[in-house]
Amino acid sequence: MTSSRQLHLGAFMRPVSLHTGAWRYPGAFPDANFNFAHLKRFVQTLEAACFDAFFMADHLAVLNMPVDALKRSHTATSFEPFTLLSALAAVTERIGLVATASTTFDEPYHIARRFASLDHLSNGRAGWNLVTTSNPDAARNFGRDEHLEHDERYRRAREFYDVVTGLWDSWADDAFVRDVESGLYFDPEKLHVLAHKGEYLSVRGPLNIARPVQGWPVVVQAGSSEAGKQVAAETADVVFTAQSSLEAGKRFYGDVKERRERLGRPRNHLKILPGVFVVVGDSRSEAQDKRAKLDALVHYESGVSSLSIALGHDVSSFDPDGPLPEIPETNASRSSRERVIELARSEKLTVRQLAQRLGGYSGLQMIGTARDIADEMQQWLEEEGSDGFNVMFPFLPEGLDDFARKVVPELQRRGLFRRAYEGTTLRDHLGLPRPGNRFFKSP
Amino acid sequence: MTSSRQLHLGAFMRPVSLHTGAWRYPGAFPDANFNFAHLKRFVQTLEAACFDAFFMADHLAVLNMPVDALKRSHTATSFEPFTLLSALAAVTERIGLVATASTTFDEPYHIARRFASLDHLSNGRAGWNLVTTSNPDAARNFGRDEHLEHDERYRRAREFYDVVTGLWDSWADDAFVRDVESGLYFDPEKLHVLAHKGEYLSVRGPLNIARPVQGWPVVVQAGSSEAGKQVAAETADVVFTAQSSLEAGKRFYGDVKERRERLGRPRNHLKILPGVFVVVGDSRSEAQDKRAKLDALVHYESGVSSLSIALGHDVSSFDPDGPLPEIPETNASRSSRERVIELARSEKLTVRQLAQRLGGYSGLQMIGTARDIADEMQQWLEEEGSDGFNVMFPFLPEGLDDFARKVVPELQRRGLFRRAYEGTTLRDHLGLPRPGNRFFKSP
């Protein structure tokens, strides 16, 4: 063990990859959306590399894209998270398993129960990525024509969290005495009926499953609005965030950690993990070539649609092989528009290259040798830009295997990442305490 | 292969057993509610014995019992079915996996998606035990003070089933072309948007997962009311039923199969499996002794509460070691009351023994040697009382191991049960066809 701060690494995955061109990359498994054998291989590789957690992205609808873009991508469909992560729990021993579940389109009794069950099945490795679901197509799959407003979604989320954690505390940790001799299975004094009645939810309880192994499964959030950051500071164990640069990352990190401290709670009990897209090569140019090759696999139809959305302007009449022309002011978010224009300028991209970048992945990336990537990660850690990363692999299995075989050993050599799991639960891996039960003192 | 009719066997389980005294039985695993290792052992034993399916009983609340009875039983808590069965899918190859899900307290998009996901994870072994959930305590866990009326529950269930099967048909079986060369992942002509708007549900679709391996996962139902039997005849692949005798079983079997035929659908594409509690001994008296020993482990407090409910009369002042006194007419269901009085008379049970029987399990049972049990099962099959059974084991692991090692080989010797799985899916095991897609012709 080293005494210096350590990186925490999650793998942020879709079965084929988050990049829409990845299913066409050499060696890819285009059928991984429905082929469990591939997912099993991925998670076992991550576990051998001592990752903190496997993290499954999710949506409650077929993605909200024009069908001409959607039909080019593997991202329209996937396994459902609870079923997938439970199956992965049975074929792993240590790695954390984080599933996405919505506070807008599900019931707190179901959510509390499923995460408690996953936590018992996995001996304490469950995490809940708490999302409020902003996709209006999801609303239409759940009987709502109108989507809840942003602030209402967050108010409901806050109440939902209180109900779920209250249900997790239905039973004291030592409620189940199982005394065969006297015939007492549980001590009724150690059973709490929540009887919640609030603005959005009415839930009686108790939960029909014992308190989770971790007390509460790890709570992960990704809020970036003011309301989102505040809810995260109040409730999250881990914040997953999209940051475009180290400078932006440091501002976000300071802001959320400070909100936490103002609540009188230790800042190191909240871990901040920006998402980063990592492409590893034996040389920098090899890594850049891989990135270019991957982007070239994004079908132009699909990229044009993403670029048009980002700019708020139909780009289909532009010359694909020329530079991006001047774009008039539009209704698109100014920051997104400026970011795209700046990207085209700084990397001297043609319209086609820009479209393919946008149609694939255009957020924070680290591209280079294992040492380059370790340097960048170390800098983020040391300068308090993050507590680690949620790593996105560009294509599978190669991108994941490269990271596990090349980057992880380099981080280990520097004393920045574990060589073996020290604990057994996801809270152990993240250095987070086990929450007490709000209704019962610890045994 | 034999050409005669074959038995189908499901295992109807709670982790410790359905019998409330079972956790105190010698060799039991009282912690199986939260210990996956035990469940893995059970399901692997069932698979080695070629069972059609593992079937997990479920409730959406802590059981509706006085706490003085509840605290004596392991049945208050359990794993949640989707998470448990998905984990079991990862450690088995062939056995079917049937989970209970409620049409009253869940959303059709979630249910369709989770079963489709379990079906893909397990390569076609998922089954849905469609329940309407009559427990009023469940309603209070889902924001409802008043429970839906019986007929309304069934109308919603019928609509819910149409939506779920419609969502399963969102994609043609050959929709995913994954043509790396042209960059076409799916054929948009083979995607159907359900756009359902009905009396209870409004669901747009499409489902964000490919059509299940089985087309539709196997649908199991347990309706016994007129409405329930009719919904089962219209929609079920398997009917799980509680029958008290072969005579009653034959009436039920004939009734439901006839309803099916009146709908113009083949009677053998609906399998009827009564639940049966099986206690195996090397001699009849050994089996009877096991049953008596198990019942004696039901705490008297717990039995008294069950007996009082069944008779509609407080029996706590009765002499536990005397015979059942005359009971005045009450509001309890007359048939339940008469069944209990008849049970006490025919087996000459004391109040204590009767209470313990009621507090444990008092439905259809087969008790004796492997040959006795095979004789009874054979008679039910030959006289069209059933197509097989949903077997309940009195205590675990011994009761399950006895059945697998003694009864199954006897059934196999008689040519009544498979010696090896012939197909790979649960539909294959049950001899049920794969449903066509209502929106697309087969490829």
Side-chain angles (χ1 to χ4, degrees):
Chain A
M1 268 196 68
T2 76
S3 59
S4 69
R5 276 176 72 220
Q6 296 273 302
L7 281 167
H8 296 284
L9 296 179
F12 186 66
M13 313 262 300
R14 293 279 286 178
V16 178
S17 155
L18 285 140
H19 192 287
T20 55
W23 67 279
R24 301 173 74 189
Y25 200 85
F29 303 142
D31 68 336
N33 284 343
F34 315 116
N35 187 330
F36 179 67
H38 299 319
L39 276 292
K40 180 174 164 180
R41 176 196 192 287
F42 300 152
V43 78
Q44 289 178 340
T45 304
L46 292 166
E47 184 167 73
C50 300
F51 265 64
D52 293 70
F54 173 93
F55 192 132
M56 191 67 187
D58 194 47
H59 305 280
L60 291 176
V62 164
L63 283 183
N64 183 9
M65 274 187 196
V67 76
D68 279 343
L70 192 66
K71 74 185 182 190
R72 303 294 179 183
S73 169
H74 56 84
T75 57
T77 60
S78 177
F79 290 108
E80 182 278 337
F82 284 108
T83 44
L84 176 63
L85 295 193
S86 301
L88 292 176
V91 297
T92 52
E93 301 280 336
R94 294 294 190 93
I95 192 168
L97 299 162
V98 181
T100 297
S102 170
T103 56
T104 304
F105 300 116
D106 214 323
E107 294 278 351
Y109 199 86
H110 285 315
I111 294 300
R113 192 176 177 220
R114 290 193 180 112
F115 279 110
S117 190
L118 179 60
D119 207 51
H120 283 287
L121 286 169
S122 64
N123 291 314
R125 299 185 284 134
W128 172 22
N129 179 32
L130 186 163
V131 301
T132 64
T133 311
S134 57
N135 176 358
D137 280 351
R140 289 191 275 269
N141 289 332
F142 294 91
R144 319 241 181 107
D145 286 330
E146 298 196 15
H147 202 62
L148 280 184
E149 287 303 317
H150 181 274
D151 286 356
E152 272 216 292
R153 286 209 318 274
Y154 272 90
R155 283 213 308 284
R156 182 181 152 101
R158 194 66 187 73
E159 186 181 339
F160 197 107
Y161 168 86
D162 287 338
V163 172
V164 168
T165 53
L167 288 170
W168 283 336
D169 286 346
S170 292
W171 302 85
D173 285 314
D174 58 350
F176 294 93
V177 294
R178 302 189 189 99
D179 182 351
V180 169
E181 209 47 48
S182 72
L184 187 70
Y185 194 79
F186 69 84
D187 177 352
E189 301 293 312
K190 295 183 172 172
L191 168 59
H192 181 266
V193 178
L194 188 65
H196 173 90
K197 281 193 193 290
E199 187 182 357
Y200 295 96
L201 301 165
S202 160
V203 180
R204 182 159 172 262
L207 199 62
N208 56 355
I209 183 164
R211 194 159 192 259
V213 173
Q214 296 183 99
W216 301 353
V218 169
V219 175
V220 181
Q221 283 182 38
S224 57
S225 66
E226 286 302 300
K229 282 190 286 194
Q230 189 57 28
V231 169
E234 290 172 13
T235 63
D237 298 304
V238 172
V239 175
F240 173 38
T241 172
Q243 296 298 328
S244 54
S245 68
L246 176 54
E247 283 317 304
K250 283 157 78 170
R251 279 195 302 276
F252 180 85
Y253 187 93
D255 179 359
V256 175
K257 294 260 177 172
E258 229 167 73
R259 288 172 192 260
R260 183 74 157 203
E261 280 181 322
R262 279 201 298 272
L263 297 166
R265 297 175 58 193
R267 60 193 265 137
N268 67 340
H269 290 173
L270 173 67
K271 303 299 177 188
I272 296 181
L273 307 182
V276 62
F277 188 81
V278 177
V279 187
V280 192
D282 289 330
S283 65
R284 273 180 214 178
S285 66
E286 192 200 36
Q288 280 152 357
D289 288 350
K290 285 184 183 181
R291 176 63 156 126
K293 181 168 160 188
L294 176 62
D295 282 353
L297 294 171
V298 175
H299 200 281
Y300 189 55
E301 267 183 35
S302 162
V304 155
S305 138
S306 305
L307 180 56
S308 299
I309 291 167
L311 293 171
H313 186 95
D314 180 4
V315 305
S316 57
S317 61
F318 292 177
D319 172 11
D321 299 310
L324 187 69
E326 287 295 315
I327 309 277
E329 284 282 340
T330 66
N331 286 329
S333 118
R334 179 189 297 260
S335 64
S336 131
R337 195 171 158 278
E338 282 170 5
R339 188 173 70 82
V340 172
I341 293 170
E342 172 55 25
L343 177 66
R345 186 178 305 141
S346 67
E347 298 196 27
K348 299 191 180 61
L349 302 176
T350 63
V351 170
R352 183 193 305 279
Q353 287 168 329
L354 187 63
Q356 287 175 326
R357 178 70 63 86
L358 270 288
Y361 172 82
S362 60
L364 183 66
Q365 57 180 8
M366 296 181 184
I367 300 188
T369 65
R371 290 179 64 179
D372 293 335
I373 290 159
D375 284 347
E376 281 200 77
M377 290 190 164
Q378 183 164 2
Q379 189 185 6
W380 276 73
L381 184 71
E382 287 173 353
E383 297 186 13
E384 301 217 321
S386 77
D387 297 304
F389 295 93
N390 232 344
V391 180
M392 295 178 260
F393 307 107
F395 31 75
L396 296 164
E398 187 187 313
L400 191 165
D401 291 346
D402 280 347
F403 193 93
R405 283 195 226 123
K406 297 172 182 173
V407 181
V408 166
E410 178 63 26
L411 296 171
Q412 289 168 335
R413 261 191 297 279
R414 299 180 187 201
L416 296 173
F417 192 59
R418 68 177 71 81
R419 289 174 186 274
Y421 291 104
E422 287 164 15
T424 59
T425 70
L426 179 53
R427 287 189 177 273
D428 291 341
H429 307 338
L430 291 165
L432 300 172
R434 184 177 189 275
N437 188 315
R438 78 176 72 160
F439 306 119
F440 301 99
K441 270 186 257 169
S442 295
Chain B
M1 269 194 67
T2 76
S3 58
S4 69
R5 276 175 73 221
Q6 296 272 302
L7 281 167
H8 296 285
L9 295 179
F12 186 66
M13 312 263 300
R14 293 282 283 179
V16 179
S17 154
L18 286 139
H19 192 286
T20 57
W23 67 279
R24 302 172 73 189
Y25 200 85
F29 303 141
D31 67 336
N33 284 343
F34 315 116
N35 187 330
F36 179 66
H38 298 318
L39 275 292
K40 179 174 165 180
R41 176 195 192 286
F42 300 152
V43 78
Q44 289 178 338
T45 304
L46 291 166
E47 184 168 72
C50 300
F51 265 64
D52 293 70
F54 173 92
F55 191 132
M56 191 66 185
D58 193 47
H59 305 281
L60 290 176
V62 163
L63 283 183
N64 182 11
M65 274 186 197
V67 77
D68 280 342
L70 192 65
K71 74 186 182 189
R72 304 293 179 182
S73 170
H74 55 85
T75 56
T77 59
S78 176
F79 290 109
E80 182 277 336
F82 284 108
T83 44
L84 176 64
L85 295 193
S86 301
L88 292 176
V91 297
T92 52
E93 301 279 337
R94 294 294 190 94
I95 193 168
L97 299 162
V98 181
T100 297
S102 170
T103 55
T104 304
F105 300 115
D106 215 321
E107 294 278 352
Y109 199 86
H110 285 315
I111 295 299
R113 192 175 176 221
R114 290 193 180 113
F115 279 110
S117 190
L118 179 60
D119 207 52
H120 282 288
L121 285 169
S122 64
N123 291 314
R125 298 185 284 134
W128 172 22
N129 179 32
L130 186 164
V131 301
T132 64
T133 312
S134 57
N135 177 357
D137 280 351
R140 289 191 275 269
N141 289 331
F142 294 91
R144 319 242 180 107
D145 286 329
E146 297 197 16
H147 201 62
L148 280 185
E149 287 303 317
H150 180 275
D151 285 357
E152 272 215 293
R153 286 209 316 276
Y154 273 89
R155 283 213 309 283
R156 182 180 152 101
R158 193 66 187 70
E159 186 180 339
F160 197 107
Y161 168 88
D162 287 339
V163 172
V164 167
T165 52
L167 288 170
W168 283 336
D169 286 346
S170 292
W171 302 85
D173 285 313
D174 59 350
F176 293 93
V177 294
R178 303 188 187 100
D179 182 349
V180 169
E181 210 46 50
S182 72
L184 187 69
Y185 195 79
F186 69 82
D187 177 351
E189 300 293 313
K190 295 185 174 172
L191 168 58
H192 181 266
V193 178
L194 188 65
H196 173 90
K197 281 193 192 291
E199 186 181 357
Y200 296 96
L201 301 165
S202 159
V203 180
R204 181 159 172 264
L207 199 62
N208 56 355
I209 182 164
R211 193 159 192 257
V213 173
Q214 297 183 98
W216 301 353
V218 169
V219 175
V220 181
Q221 284 183 38
S224 56
S225 66
E226 286 301 301
K229 283 190 286 194
Q230 189 57 28
V231 169
E234 290 171 12
T235 63
D237 297 305
V238 173
V239 174
F240 173 38
T241 172
Q243 296 298 328
S244 54
S245 68
L246 176 54
E247 284 317 304
K250 284 156 76 170
R251 278 195 302 276
F252 180 86
Y253 187 93
D255 180 358
V256 175
K257 294 262 176 170
E258 229 166 74
R259 287 172 193 260
R260 183 74 156 203
E261 280 184 322
R262 279 201 297 271
L263 297 165
R265 298 176 58 195
R267 60 193 267 138
N268 66 339
H269 290 172
L270 174 68
K271 303 298 178 187
I272 296 180
L273 307 182
V276 62
F277 189 81
V278 176
V279 188
V280 191
D282 288 330
S283 65
R284 273 181 212 175
S285 65
E286 192 200 36
Q288 279 151 358
D289 289 349
K290 286 184 183 180
R291 175 65 156 126
K293 182 168 160 188
L294 176 62
D295 282 354
L297 294 171
V298 175
H299 200 282
Y300 189 55
E301 265 183 38
S302 162
V304 155
S305 138
S306 305
L307 180 56
S308 299
I309 290 166
L311 292 172
H313 185 96
D314 179 3
V315 304
S316 57
S317 62
F318 291 176
D319 172 13
D321 299 309
L324 186 69
E326 286 295 316
I327 309 277
E329 285 283 338
T330 67
N331 286 329
S333 119
R334 179 189 296 259
S335 64
S336 132
R337 193 172 162 279
E338 282 171 4
R339 190 174 67 81
V340 172
I341 293 171
E342 172 55 26
L343 176 65
R345 187 178 305 141
S346 67
E347 299 196 26
K348 299 192 179 60
L349 302 177
T350 64
V351 170
R352 183 191 308 278
Q353 288 167 329
L354 187 63
Q356 288 176 324
R357 178 71 62 86
L358 268 289
Y361 173 82
S362 61
L364 183 66
Q365 56 179 10
M366 296 181 184
I367 300 188
T369 64
R371 289 180 63 178
D372 292 336
I373 289 159
D375 284 346
E376 282 201 76
M377 290 190 162
Q378 182 163 2
Q379 190 185 5
W380 277 73
L381 185 70
E382 288 173 353
E383 297 186 12
E384 302 217 319
S386 78
D387 297 304
F389 295 93
N390 232 344
V391 180
M392 296 178 260
F393 307 108
F395 33 74
L396 296 163
E398 186 187 314
L400 191 166
D401 291 346
D402 281 346
F403 193 94
R405 283 195 226 123
K406 296 172 184 174
V407 181
V408 166
E410 178 63 26
L411 296 171
Q412 288 169 333
R413 260 192 296 280
R414 298 179 187 200
L416 296 172
F417 193 60
R418 68 176 70 84
R419 288 173 186 274
Y421 292 104
E422 287 163 15
T424 59
T425 71
L426 178 53
R427 286 188 178 275
D428 290 341
H429 306 338
L430 291 165
L432 300 171
R434 184 177 190 276
N437 188 316
R438 78 177 72 161
F439 307 118
F440 301 99
K441 267 186 258 170
S442 295

